[in-house]
Amino acid sequence: MNQGASRIVAHYEHHALSWDADRRAAAWTDKPPIERFLALLRPGATVLDLGCGGGVPVAAHISAQGFSVTGVDSSPTMIALCRTRMPDQQWVVADMRSWTSGRRFDGVLAWDSFFHLGHDDQRRMFPIFAACTASGGILMFNAGPAHGEAIGSYRGDPLYHASLDPSEYAALLRDNGFELIAHSAGEPANGERSFWLARAAQADPIA
């Protein structure tokens, strides 16, 4: 299983154009959670999209709503697609597990990307989420419904997924300064995505 997790970066670069085409051709069944995330942001807010892929449909929709997007993906091919499609936004080739910018964003999204990380890498992401999220900012990520690992398949190659137990996600959010807003356990109305939506603690006002 760990070997499958270590191959994710190479997998997505190898299949970048196919994955992008398949995602654009498919019905956007997971749009409702994205809309719920955006509804919690102020107009013109900054959004960090970790694992942005080729930018369609998620980042393109966020950009079209007037938000400022910074997209991060480990695939140079995916980021090149984003730069061509949305040259007015910021795109970075980097691994979310080690990326830092010194900036804090109003919204942080790790959609259909976080669940490709192994258990320990997922745990290590929560301080990174906290470091990237502004005071009162919104975090959303999706994962599986229960603790475990699974190997799927995409175009004949193995595709790794993992999830922690929901109780551990709740504890990790709390321990890293987030207040849980909502947790969805894979309802059809949400594109069968199990997701977590949380708000970063507000900084104390300066006296």
Side-chain angles (χ1 to χ4, degrees):
M1 286 289 188
N2 286 336
Q3 190 176 35
S6 69
R7 293 176 176 171
I8 283 296
V9 169
H11 174 96
Y12 270 98
E13 175 59 15
H14 178 67
H15 290 291
L17 295 178
S18 296
W19 184 92
D20 176 72
D22 289 344
R23 178 65 159 148
R24 287 185 291 112
W28 190 13
T29 58
D30 52 308
K31 184 178 180 180
I34 302 299
E35 294 283 34
R36 186 169 184 180
F37 168 78
L38 296 178
L40 296 170
L41 303 178
R42 60 174 176 79
T46 57
V47 177
L48 174 63
D49 187 357
L50 293 169
C52 60
V56 178
V58 177
H61 179 70
I62 295 172
S63 176
Q65 301 306 305
F67 298 103
S68 176
V69 179
T70 296
V72 175
D73 201 281
S74 61
S75 166
T77 301
M78 296 282 200
I79 290 297
L81 292 171
C82 290
R83 288 172 176 158
T84 298
R85 291 165 178 165
M86 292 164 276
D88 54 329
Q89 306 291 2
Q90 184 175 1
W91 308 104
V92 182
V93 178
D95 189 319
M96 71 169 76
R97 294 169 291 186
S98 57
W99 182 75
T100 58
S101 74
R103 290 182 60 193
R104 290 182 180 267
F105 297 82
D106 301 313
V108 175
L109 183 66
W111 196 252
D112 284 1
S113 55
F114 176 80
F115 59 22
H116 289 310
L117 304 181
H119 291 144
D120 286 341
D121 279 338
Q122 289 193 18
R123 294 181 180 107
R124 285 189 283 264
M125 279 302 301
F126 283 83
I128 295 174
F129 288 153
C132 292
T133 310
S135 172
I138 304 299
L139 166 68
M140 187 167 74
F141 64 90
N142 62 323
H147 185 277
E149 295 175 290
I151 300 291
S153 177
Y154 180 76
R155 295 188 176 254
D157 284 339
L159 184 60
Y160 175 87
H161 299 80
S163 180
L164 302 174
D165 187 82
S167 63
E168 185 170 3
Y169 285 131
L172 285 163
L173 287 168
R174 182 182 63 250
D175 292 347
N176 286 275
F178 290 93
E179 177 185 359
L180 181 63
I181 296 173
H183 167 50
S184 171
E187 288 85 354
N190 293 317
E192 299 185 348
R193 302 301 202 276
S194 295
F195 70 86
W196 296 81
L197 187 64
R199 186 186 302 276
Q202 295 274 2
D204 292 333
I206 299 174

